[in-house]
Amino acid sequence: MGVLTFKGGIHPYDGKDLSKSKPIQPLNPKNQLAYLVSQHIGAPAKPIVKKGDRVLMGQMIAEAGGFVSAPVYASVSGTVKGIEPRLTATGGTCDAIIVENDGLYEEVEYHPTEHPEKLSKEEIRKKIQDAGVVGMGGAGFPTHVKLSPKEPDKIDYILVNGAECEPYLTSDYRRLLEEPEKVIGGLKVILQLFDHAKGCICIEDNKPDCIEKLSKMVENEPRIEVKPLKTKYPQGAERMLIYAVTGRSINSSMLPADAGCVVDNVDTVVAVYKAVVLGQPLMHRIVTVTGDGVKDPGNFYVPVGMDFTELLEAAGGFSGDVEKVISGGPMMGFAMFDIHVPVTKTTSAMLCLTRDEVCHSETTACINCGRCVSECPEHLLPARLATFAAHKDQEKFLKYNGMECCECGCCSYGCPAKRPLAQDIKSMRKIVLANRKKK
């Protein structure tokens, strides 16, 4: 079988060799944990504990604030010290429930499902909803909402996104390699919700060991197949993944369900398995700590709420003078000005770099080379859109389909003039969305 892909994209230095050989290492926090009440798209969770309460690991401490929302659970046992604003990785602030870790890790009693195949569709969705499972690939969309499309009979494909195309990140790779049975188990649970769907585990071909391992494990699974993908950024973007595997296209006004697809990240699928089969809420995730600015890069299984500084300590601390720290990967992550922020359900990586290439780049005039056009996976005209954005020309920005940008950053990466194309387009998209909201 040939590898699947899309037109456009780039091949940046992937940096995965720094951490791909490092097995997942569990970490226990030493200090206070801060649980942000908004770790997902939708309404913030509502705290149901108060200062002085003692909580157990696995206990709900904030309930969902609506249907498009998700509860938050304590990942340690300890005492609630209060509810106060805390800095987020994106530079904003959010209310957080502060818990003093007592180091005992006393847990609530979980209730595993002995025969998950006998659960009804409603029971499965309820367990996923109650467990606070959200998209862990970065977006944080509540998973129970994604698994409740208007027309479930029209869903043909469940795509498990194991592409991990973002440079430096290796957490999904380690999950596929070390716990493939949980990935397959979670996919089987999701397939129970869609009678006519086929499950596809999508993996880039720079992970041949994962492709081989999972292919053997699903040989006798008639509804599950491993789909090798060409290694290219942004192969794991939702629209690109759907096109590569199914040949179907969606735009910014459509959902994957409109193309008969449901797309979930590897870690999200494992969280579904734990919620439905093991009865455990989402309390932990794998975070890659990497970059040339880290002494000992690795992949860590960490509790939600843990401080980034403890992640850095686990990786041996900084190596040399670090100019930039990013939450996530270098293409779509967020540069941080303070690392005293808590891990959330959507935290994928902490990337430490000794040189800030963007800061040292000098922007020059566009030379009309067309590279941004050939590399854009959405087949847009990034240089022109960025110019419209700079002049706040909303009419032309919309005329040239600026809202179709997926903000992958391919245009900025390839631009020889070092123009911040993606950043300008992203800013203009925010203005358009804000104006639409006002109307």
Side-chain angles (χ1 to χ4, degrees):
M1 179 193 296
V3 290
L4 306 169
T5 191
F6 61 96
K7 186 178 179 180
I10 57 176
H11 296 86
Y13 165 67
D14 70 4
K16 294 183 186 290
D17 287 342
L18 294 171
S19 59
K20 69 179 295 185
S21 63
K22 304 294 183 67
I24 301 167
Q25 179 182 338
L27 285 187
N28 285 329
K30 301 174 183 176
N31 304 317
Q32 289 183 346
L33 287 89
Y35 301 94
L36 301 182
V37 297
S38 185
Q39 303 184 35
H40 49 266
I41 290 175
K46 298 177 180 178
I48 56 174
V49 293
K50 61 183 184 302
K51 184 176 181 179
D53 287 352
R54 186 169 190 276
V55 297
L56 300 178
M57 182 176 172
Q59 177 181 331
M60 185 188 294
I61 55 177
E63 62 184 8
F67 180 66
V68 185
S69 185
V72 177
Y73 289 81
S75 53
V76 297
S77 58
T79 304
V80 177
K81 306 303 288 185
I83 300 173
E84 57 189 52
R86 283 296 174 95
L87 187 69
T88 69
T90 57
T93 58
C94 176
D95 283 346
I97 301 169
I98 313 301
V99 175
E100 186 73 46
N101 179 19
D102 62 14
L104 300 177
Y105 299 98
E106 294 181 318
E107 294 186 74
V108 301
E109 183 181 353
Y110 304 121
H111 301 285
T113 304
E114 191 171 345
H115 298 288
E117 68 281 357
K118 295 182 179 179
L119 292 172
S120 69
K121 293 177 173 60
E122 292 72 22
E123 288 173 327
I124 290 173
R125 291 191 180 96
K126 186 68 164 58
K127 285 180 178 290
I128 294 170
Q129 181 177 12
D130 291 346
V133 180
V134 302
M136 298 169 72
F141 193 75
T143 302
H144 69 277
V145 180
K146 182 182 286 190
L147 298 179
S148 305
K150 292 180 180 178
E151 299 178 290
D153 288 341
K154 292 187 178 180
I155 300 298
D156 303 317
Y157 293 96
I158 308 299
L159 305 182
V160 179
N161 189 351
E164 199 166 45
C165 62
E166 182 82 33
Y168 289 95
L169 274 59
T170 56
S171 56
D172 285 348
Y173 168 74
R174 294 310 310 184
R175 177 74 88 178
L176 286 166
L177 201 61
E178 295 183 43
E179 299 182 319
E181 68 285 345
K182 292 180 180 177
V183 177
I184 296 169
L187 178 54
K188 285 182 178 180
V189 169
I190 296 173
L191 285 171
Q192 287 180 236
L193 299 173
F194 305 100
D195 298 331
H196 310 298
K198 177 180 181 180
C200 299
I201 303 174
C202 311
I203 309 173
E204 280 192 334
D205 60 0
N206 62 351
K207 308 172 186 65
D209 44 358
C210 291
I211 293 173
E212 181 182 2
K213 190 169 190 175
L214 275 93
S215 295
K216 288 181 179 178
M217 293 179 70
V218 301
E219 278 179 343
N220 299 318
E221 298 289 345
R223 297 182 66 192
I224 300 178
E225 184 180 349
V226 173
K227 295 283 190 179
L229 306 169
K230 184 176 181 179
T231 300
K232 180 167 62 170
Y233 179 85
Q235 188 70 261
E238 202 168 56
R239 298 184 212 171
M240 279 76 256
L241 185 68
I242 290 172
Y243 179 79
V245 177
T246 71
R248 301 173 183 179
S249 300
I250 62 172
N251 57 38
S252 62
S253 64
M254 300 168 66
L255 295 172
D258 296 325
C261 299
V262 170
V263 182
D264 276 315
N265 170 264
V266 166
D267 239 5
T268 309
V269 174
V270 172
V272 166
Y273 172 83
K274 290 182 175 180
V276 177
V277 180
L278 304 182
Q280 297 176 359
L282 176 52
M283 303 176 289
H284 297 78
R285 69 156 300 133
I286 305 171
V287 179
T288 301
V289 185
T290 187
D292 62 350
V294 172
K295 290 182 180 178
D296 188 18
N299 298 287
F300 303 96
Y301 185 67
V302 304
V304 170
M306 186 177 185
D307 199 90
F308 266 61
T309 56
E310 294 191 58
L311 286 177
L312 179 62
E313 183 182 341
F318 287 134
S319 175
D321 294 326
V322 172
E323 287 191 351
K324 176 172 275 190
V325 178
I326 300 173
S327 174
M331 298 301 296
M332 295 191 74
F334 299 94
M336 304 171 67
F337 62 85
D338 191 329
I339 61 172
H340 289 283
V341 300
V343 170
T344 68
K345 298 175 183 181
T346 59
T347 302
S348 59
M350 180 182 187
L351 175 59
C352 306
L353 302 172
T354 55
R355 179 174 172 80
D356 183 353
E357 295 290 347
V358 175
C359 181
H360 292 288
S361 297
E362 183 178 348
T363 302
T364 58
C366 174
I367 61 173
N368 295 313
C369 64
R371 187 180 298 179
C372 61
V373 178
S374 63
E375 293 176 345
C376 177
E378 292 290 349
H379 318 305
L380 303 175
L381 303 174
R384 186 168 292 182
L385 288 172
T387 299
F388 296 149
H391 292 116
K392 300 293 187 291
D393 192 335
Q394 185 171 323
E395 183 179 345
K396 287 186 178 178
F397 183 83
L398 292 174
K399 179 181 177 181
Y400 283 83
N401 301 310
M403 297 309 288
E404 295 305 312
C405 172
C406 64
E407 303 179 3
C408 65
C410 288
C411 52
S412 294
Y413 178 85
C415 179
K418 305 301 180 185
R419 294 180 67 194
L421 302 173
Q423 291 85 343
D424 288 344
I425 295 171
K426 184 176 181 178
S427 297
M428 191 63 187
R429 290 181 79 249
K430 286 183 177 179
I431 293 172
V432 173
L433 291 172
N435 288 338
R436 287 178 179 175
K437 193 172 183 181
K438 288 179 183 177
K439 293 180 181 179

